[in-house]
Amino acid sequence: AFASPEPVTYADADLLRDAGSAQRFAGKTVLITGASRGFGAVLARAFAREGANLILNARAKSQDLDTVAHQVCDCGRKATLAIGDLSSESECASAFSSIEGSIDYLINNACPPIEALSFAEQTPQEWMSFVNRALGLAVVPTHQAQQRLALTGVVVNVSSVYVTSVQPQFSHYIAYKAALEGFARSLATESKGVR
């Protein structure tokens, strides 16, 4: 995850074998941030196999994103693109303007590129810049999605085992993920219906 490895292609047959196809999300709309490759792309295909319509976010339109959208459509589901850097309020608003209707699930998966850097190798500004931008990729879309989330909507924040199994050279990444978990716990106490 930290070195942007070559994308792994998961065959549809493997997804069906591992996740089944019970149509558990039939009629639901799922917005996935960072959906063009990696975990986001696999999530999109799995949700589509389970009957969900997808809203796919990436910073920019790309062949990878188009491929994921085609795979969603091949499952007989709808794929809407929401292009933009969601850590920016204006880009997030613009990306969300293409969305029609309510969102049942918001999956905050996007993360900026992660470098293995010790705290001493970064200036305080560089360290805080990463944390702020990364947090923004969850906080801004969650804030803007509030009016679009269904009454029983779900917000999922993708975290990391590094929060509890701390590794050197990732203090910036670990601080971001720990803050993300705190944000989720706090938000859960304020929500009336949205999980």
Side-chain angles (χ1 to χ4, degrees):
F2 303 111
S4 295
E6 289 297 314
V8 176
T9 301
Y10 295 90
D12 289 341
D14 292 338
L15 284 174
L16 281 172
R17 183 192 69 238
D18 295 339
S21 182
Q23 298 295 295
R24 290 172 286 204
F25 297 94
K28 302 294 185 184
T29 299
V30 179
L31 191 163
I32 301 175
T33 70
S36 62
R37 61 183 184 201
F39 191 50
V42 173
L43 281 174
R45 292 172 62 195
F47 273 112
R49 284 270 176 220
E50 293 293 328
N53 292 313
L54 277 295
I55 301 166
L56 306 171
N57 160 258
R59 278 182 303 155
K61 199 161 175 5
S62 67
Q63 182 60 49
D64 288 340
L65 188 63
D66 287 341
T67 298
V68 175
H70 288 303
Q71 291 168 337
V72 167
C73 293
D74 287 346
C75 293
R77 310 313 308 157
K78 182 179 175 185
T80 302
L81 302 184
I83 306 300
D85 179 348
L86 300 189
S87 67
S88 159
E89 289 185 56
S90 61
E91 285 194 44
C92 187
S94 177
F96 277 29
S97 68
S98 64
I99 300 171
E100 296 177 5
S102 63
I103 299 167
D104 297 291
Y105 292 82
L106 169 62
I107 314 293
N108 288 316
N109 170 67
C111 181
I114 307 155
E115 283 188 79
L117 295 168
S118 71
F119 183 70
E121 290 177 286
Q122 304 170 75
T123 67
Q125 291 77 19
E126 289 169 336
W127 193 95
M128 289 187 292
S129 176
F130 175 86
V131 173
N132 288 337
R133 182 160 187 281
L135 268 176
L137 286 168
V139 172
V140 175
T142 300
H143 191 270
Q144 292 201 19
Q146 288 179 106
Q147 302 305 316
R148 294 181 176 273
L149 278 167
L151 292 176
T152 57
V154 177
V155 177
V156 176
N157 296 306
V158 177
S159 188
S160 170
V161 68
Y162 277 24
V163 173
T164 55
S165 179
V166 176
Q167 300 295 317
Q169 296 186 303
F170 291 103
S171 66
H172 52 307
Y173 176 71
I174 294 166
Y176 145 57
K177 290 298 190 179
L180 185 63
E181 290 187 13
F183 168 64
R185 286 194 298 271
S186 178
L187 194 62
T189 68
E190 299 174 12
S191 299
K192 297 177 174 66
V194 174
R195 291 183 290 139

